[in-house]
Amino acid sequence: MTLAPSAKGTVPFREYRTWYRVTGDLRSGRPPLVVVHGGPGSTHDYLLGLTELARDGQPVVHYDQIGNGGSSHLPGRGADFWTVDLFLDELDNLLQRLDIADNYLLFGQSWGGMLVAKHAASRPPGLRGLVIANAPASYPLWLREMKVLRADLPPEVNETLLRHEAAGTTGTDEYHEAMRWFYEKHVCRLKPWPRDYMASFYEIYNDPTVYYTMNGPSEFHVIGTLRDWSVEDCCADIAVPTLVLSGRYDEATPVTVRPFHDLIPDVRWEIFEESSHLPHLEEPELFLEVMRDYLVRVPETLRG
């Protein structure tokens, strides 16, 4: 059971608002763990399980990135508005508004993992540690691997997907039903899907502006503005202890994750053998064990 928030609300970001939730005490002396969700265009809900870390005295901050959830929705904005720099600026603003920019940790999942890697590569002085979870280092790598994973789907399923993608009819029920084959194998292997995951899933469905613009109609058909984006070129600039997480059946395959391991100077890679894209939901006890071990070691590493 997740813990109740000790504070939540919104902070101004430009002329918009960013929704946040704090679990634990930001003034405890421990660097808060700021949780950056995936998508882009998803919400914090599917990552609420990380609040369990607050039972150990670890403050945890969740937020909804602009465009969805409790933050400002802007369905009329086009691709020129929804940029990586927008979300980097929003993260910087949140850290400043919560007065934690001088002492914090980052956890980024999926797209959020790429975003926090880019943030960390600028070497912000207050960043103490980094967790990159289930994220590719490059969308071109991701697209190559999607072809590999799709080739393992039942032929009739992939044929249905390809037919609708070619026709531009990816909003149909038939396409969504075929999508589920991939999602149940490489995104979340639990049946039924957990409530927290479904909450974020429906948030994207209710307002797909950001997801459709930057990603595309599905996890494996990336035709949005991110299709050529990579953080491989900046991984070597990350100067904090970094934990990389992925699942054995993850849509973020080892090929897409390996650049983080090979290029970040101080890094450890943990693969969850019974998980796909959401090990915090699929193997929650092991996930929390790995996270707690990392959080204990970070201060020791810094002192060393």
Side-chain angles (χ1 to χ4, degrees):
M1 180 180 295
T2 55
L3 298 177
S6 55
K8 59 182 178 179
T10 64
V11 296
F13 169 56
R14 301 179 183 175
E15 61 266 46
Y16 316 113
R17 308 291 299 188
T18 298
W19 182 93
Y20 72 91
R21 162 189 169 134
V22 176
T23 308
D25 182 6
L26 291 182
R27 307 299 162 223
S28 67
R30 297 182 63 170
L33 179 69
V34 180
V35 179
V36 184
H37 65 69
S42 186
T43 60
H44 76 286
D45 300 88
Y46 76 101
L47 292 165
L48 274 173
L50 273 79
T51 59
E52 288 298 305
L53 296 169
R55 296 188 189 278
D56 310 325
Q58 173 64 56
V60 179
V61 178
H62 287 82
Y63 74 102
D64 286 337
Q65 295 162 27
I66 185 173
N68 221 326
S71 296
S72 297
H73 289 234
L74 300 162
R77 296 287 186 154
D80 59 334
F81 180 80
W82 302 110
T83 65
V84 172
D85 285 343
L86 172 75
F87 293 100
L88 289 170
D89 289 348
E90 183 185 33
L91 175 56
D92 287 341
N93 179 74
L94 180 72
L95 297 171
Q96 293 291 340
R97 295 285 183 176
L98 296 181
D99 195 23
I100 58 174
D102 61 345
N103 189 36
Y104 64 100
L105 304 154
L106 283 178
F107 176 101
Q109 201 275 337
S110 198
W111 135 267
M114 298 183 74
L115 193 68
V116 299
K118 187 69 173 178
H119 172 94
S122 68
R123 300 196 174 185
L127 180 62
R128 303 290 177 243
L130 183 69
V131 182
I132 299 172
N134 317 100
S138 156
Y139 275 100
L141 281 179
W142 176 275
L143 287 168
R144 277 169 37 196
E145 286 297 284
M146 288 305 104
K147 292 179 181 178
V148 175
L149 296 180
R150 286 178 62 154
D152 283 338
L153 294 173
E156 65 276 11
V157 172
N158 202 25
E159 288 168 7
T160 298
L161 294 170
L162 290 169
R163 173 164 46 84
H164 283 289
E165 288 162 4
T169 52
T170 54
T172 62
D173 289 343
E174 186 179 34
Y175 185 80
H176 289 157
E177 289 170 9
M179 275 172 50
R180 192 157 183 128
W181 281 87
F182 183 95
Y183 279 56
E184 289 181 346
K185 188 174 183 180
H186 297 297
V187 181
C188 184
R189 295 166 66 84
L190 298 175
K191 294 183 180 180
W193 282 346
R195 182 180 62 181
D196 288 352
Y197 173 59
M198 291 301 296
S200 287
F201 196 86
Y202 282 126
E203 287 280 3
I204 295 176
Y205 180 82
N206 290 333
D207 187 350
T209 303
V210 183
Y211 188 78
Y212 282 7
T213 301
M214 298 184 75
N215 185 84
S218 69
E219 295 291 280
F220 47 80
H221 189 48
V222 180
I223 56 174
T225 57
L226 290 177
R227 61 187 178 274
D228 297 319
W229 188 50
S230 171
V231 294
E232 288 181 277
D233 61 341
C234 67
C235 285
D237 296 323
I238 296 173
V240 294
T242 301
L243 174 65
V244 174
L245 307 176
S246 65
R248 179 60 64 191
Y249 306 98
D250 206 328
E251 59 180 347
T253 66
V255 170
T256 70
V257 175
R258 182 163 295 281
F260 291 126
H261 177 265
D262 292 348
L263 299 172
I264 296 174
D266 183 0
V267 65
R268 179 166 68 92
W269 185 5
E270 186 83 26
I271 298 177
F272 291 80
E273 295 295 336
E274 302 300 326
S275 292
S276 55
H277 198 53
L278 305 172
H280 62 282
L281 294 175
E282 295 167 287
E283 295 181 78
E285 292 181 1
L286 179 58
F287 171 82
L288 289 172
E289 179 183 322
V290 170
M291 283 296 299
R292 285 173 172 135
D293 178 71
Y294 170 75
L295 292 170
V296 167
R297 291 175 182 270
V298 167
E300 296 176 356
T301 303
L302 290 174
R303 284 197 298 271

